Amino acid sequence: MTRSHLIFDSSIGKQKPETIVNRQNPCPFCNVEALTHIMDQKDSIIWLENKYPVLQDAFQTVIIETDECTSELSLYSKEHLHKLIDFALEKWKEMQENSEYKSVLFFKNHGPMSGGSLRHPHMQIVGLKNVDAYRELDERQFEGLTIHEENGIIFNLSTLPRVGFFEFNVHLKQDGEQTIFADLLQTAVHYVLHHFHRNCTSYNLFFYPLRNKEVVVKILPRFSTSPLFMGYDIAQVSNKLSDVVHQVQELYFSQKK
């Protein structure tokens, strides 16, 4: 029988520090001298083992994105953004090539509704030894209304979202330009935090490996999850998709026309 559930170690989970709500708590990622089990580093970007491995039968790692604790992906300079995405994709690929893992997750949490616990900007790469996270992946969930397309990169808004309402996707084709992929990812995050909804302070990024060596990142604005999805696994899609597409195009791409 294929494993579909991960075992969460609650005894480790209750030890994890929390700085999203309790900002007065010390941030462990700011104390670089005390970090252990560092696997690689590029300037202020650090890849290390997760000190609190709450998932059993998994290898959990963290990428600290910057030494600026209060910064955020939408604020990075292009130089730092490109360096970060190049570094993170390289480490994800490195773990994917390890036959020890059945699948490798690559994701980011930001904000109080995202499921994260630390404010300091970071991503996570997790190798799962017994669970295939992509076994029931439906690639139709990455299709949608095109917002922008450039040099092998497609930025769209899902017409069949995984969870519901509004989900942005940025596709990186095998021959696509990775810097543009990073730029459009940053554009999506900036829109979500600054123009999408005045109460939106949280998002998740989920990276997926698709066929033909294509990579797609899904950007999910986070609010309270719909009870229809929680109880019945029924996603909803807004009837305002076209309005959002036009707004993003006007805000970020009208000068390119």
Side-chain angles (χ1 to χ4, degrees), residues 4 17 24 70 97 113 119 131 167 191 203 206 209 216 222 249 253:
S4 61
Q24 76 280 2
T70 59
E97 292 172 348
M113 301 297 293
R119 170 62 180 83
V131 174
E167 298 178 4
Y191 174 78
Y203 65 84
F206 298 108
V216 61
R222 290 298 305 274
Q249 289 172 333
F253 303 107

Side-chain angles (χ1 to χ4, degrees), residues 63 65 73 81 84-86 88-89 92 96 104-109 122-125 133-134 137 142 162 170-172 178 181-182 185-186 189 203-210 214-220:
I63 293 179
E65 300 173 23
L73 193 145
L81 173 72
L84 170 65
I85 297 302
D86 286 350
L89 288 175
W92 184 36
Q96 286 175 314
V104 180
L105 310 179
F106 175 24
F107 62 96
K108 173 180 171 63
N109 307 320
H122 65 286
M123 299 173 168
Q124 298 184 57
I125 303 177
Y134 310 112
L137 188 66
F142 307 109
R162 286 178 55 83
V170 183
H171 295 253
L172 172 63
Q178 202 158 287
F181 173 74
L185 167 56
Q186 185 180 54
V189 170
Y203 65 84
N204 291 115
L205 305 182
F206 298 108
F207 292 77
Y208 302 87
L210 303 187
E214 180 180 347
V215 170
V216 61
V217 57
K218 182 174 282 289
I219 302 96
L220 274 74

Side-chain angles (χ1 to χ4, degrees), residues 9 14 19 35 52 101 115 119-120 139 143 145 160 165 194 200 211 214 217 223 230 248 255:
D9 191 325
K14 66 182 182 182
T19 63
L35 295 176
Y52 300 94
Y101 308 122
R119 170 62 180 83
H120 197 123
E139 295 193 9
E143 298 172 357
L145 303 180
L160 290 173
F165 300 104
H194 298 279
C200 185
R211 294 171 295 178
E214 180 180 347
V217 57
F223 300 94
M230 295 298 292
V248 177
Q255 69 278 10

Side-chain angles (χ1 to χ4, degrees), residues 110-197:
H110 173 82
M113 301 297 293
S114 70
S117 57
L118 292 179
R119 170 62 180 83
H120 197 123
H122 65 286
M123 299 173 168
Q124 298 184 57
I125 303 177
V126 180
L128 304 179
K129 297 180 180 180
N130 300 308
V131 174
D132 182 359
Y134 310 112
R135 182 169 58 93
E136 298 183 7
L137 188 66
D138 186 346
E139 295 193 9
R140 294 176 302 169
Q141 295 167 340
F142 307 109
E143 298 172 357
L145 303 180
T146 298
I147 297 171
H148 186 73
E149 186 170 355
E150 182 179 355
N151 290 19
I153 313 299
I154 299 174
F155 176 26
N156 67 24
L157 183 61
S158 288
T159 46
L160 290 173
R162 286 178 55 83
V163 180
F165 300 104
F166 299 97
E167 298 178 4
F168 298 91
N169 308 298
V170 183
H171 295 253
L172 172 63
K173 303 289 186 181
Q174 184 178 2
D175 58 350
E177 191 170 327
Q178 202 158 287
T179 55
I180 296 176
F181 173 74
D183 291 345
L184 293 177
L185 167 56
Q186 185 180 54
T187 296
V189 170
H190 189 276
Y191 174 78
V192 164
L193 290 181
H194 298 279
H195 299 287
F196 175 62
H197 191 284

Side-chain angles (χ1 to χ4, degrees), residues 26-38:
C27 172
F29 292 162
C30 286
N31 189 6
V32 176
E33 294 75 15
L35 295 176
T36 58
H37 299 95
I38 293 175

